[in-house]
Amino acid sequence: FLGTHYWFYYGTAFVICILEIIAGELEMGVTRFIAVSIKTFVLSLGAVFGMQIILKSPHDAWTEQTQNCGLIDLSTVWWRIPLYLACSASVLGQYRLPIVRYALGLTVQLAGYEVQYRSFRHLHSSNDYLDTAASNVFGAMAAVFTAYLVSYMASRFLSYYNARVLHRESEEISNLGKCIYSITAFFIRVYDLFGVVRHTDRVLLDVKKKIKQHWKELDNQDNFRSKNC
């Protein structure tokens, strides 16, 4: 849990700040980079100083803590994935991610964790730590690929939805597009009931019929709108 959450707490933040610097947001990117670096440094250094101050033999105490690790076989309990998703939701909250996008974020996090967990169990070795390194790499690769796939699918869904709402499709919309529109519209109404979606999204959905009527009037040559255009 802690290993994969580290990617999304600090690893992802480092990547975001680099992208911001490349995109021209120099001040914001540098500020985020310094903030994340300081947080990581303070956490690490604070843990070391705390152990040095409180414990007489920090190294022995650290080694003894290994006896408390791995006491629960996560492969045999049903709550392994629900627990990870609950922890992942706290990460998304720390990033101030809109609630309506939690499903996308949790999908990426779960994919990375599952690949990391499965590969670690398959490659498990005793002392060389290559299993940890390899599983982390595989998990990161899976998370990146899943993020690309999820973002692509979300973009396609949004394009179908906007084309249907604004009636700007260049050709007859397919059954798949109609299905995607219905699903997206349903979730927008559900999110609006809980107050976790922008009110303008619901307003846009409500004025769909008016926009359709206006398009029909513009297409009608005998209508006063068409004559004035």
Side-chain angles (χ1 to χ4, degrees), residues 54-203:
I54 297 176
L55 303 175
K56 295 181 179 180
S57 179
H59 181 269
D60 294 338
W62 177 269
T63 304
E64 292 174 358
Q65 292 303 312
T66 58
Q67 301 176 3
N68 300 323
C69 300
L71 299 180
I72 300 176
D73 187 1
L74 293 176
S75 63
T76 61
V77 296
W78 63 269
W79 44 262
R80 176 176 65 87
I81 292 179
L83 176 61
Y84 180 78
L85 291 177
C87 296
S88 298
S90 67
V91 176
L92 300 180
Q94 196 253 3
Y95 275 138
R96 304 296 191 272
L97 188 73
I99 297 178
V100 294
R101 294 191 174 94
Y102 267 38
L104 304 179
L106 292 176
T107 300
V108 175
Q109 291 175 296
L110 180 60
Y113 166 68
E114 271 298 298
V115 172
Q116 189 270 348
Y117 175 78
R118 302 286 181 181
S119 58
F120 179 78
R121 289 179 60 86
H122 179 72
L123 301 172
H124 184 63
S125 59
S126 56
N127 297 317
D128 54 12
Y129 296 106
L130 290 178
D131 51 354
T132 302
S135 61
N136 286 341
V137 171
F138 293 149
M141 292 171 60
V144 171
F145 177 77
T146 305
Y148 168 78
L149 185 62
V150 167
S151 62
Y152 174 79
M153 294 298 296
S155 178
R156 294 298 297 172
F157 270 56
L158 188 61
S159 65
Y160 278 119
Y161 173 77
N162 289 336
R164 186 71 184 278
V165 170
L166 301 177
H167 300 277
R168 63 187 182 193
E169 59 269 14
S170 58
E171 57 186 14
E172 186 67 22
I173 193 168
S174 63
N175 292 330
L176 176 61
K178 294 178 181 179
C179 180
I180 291 176
Y181 166 78
S182 301
I183 294 174
T184 307
F186 170 76
F187 278 107
I188 287 178
R189 290 189 174 94
V190 172
Y191 290 146
D192 183 65
L193 291 176
F194 291 97
V196 296
V197 72
R198 292 181 303 179
H199 183 64
T200 53
D201 293 334
R202 180 57 190 270
V203 172

Side-chain angles (χ1 to χ4, degrees), residues 205-216:
L205 190 62
D206 292 337
V207 300
K208 174 179 177 292
K209 294 182 178 179
K210 294 182 180 180
I211 297 176
K212 183 178 181 179
Q213 180 63 31
H214 292 169
W215 273 107
K216 288 182 177 180

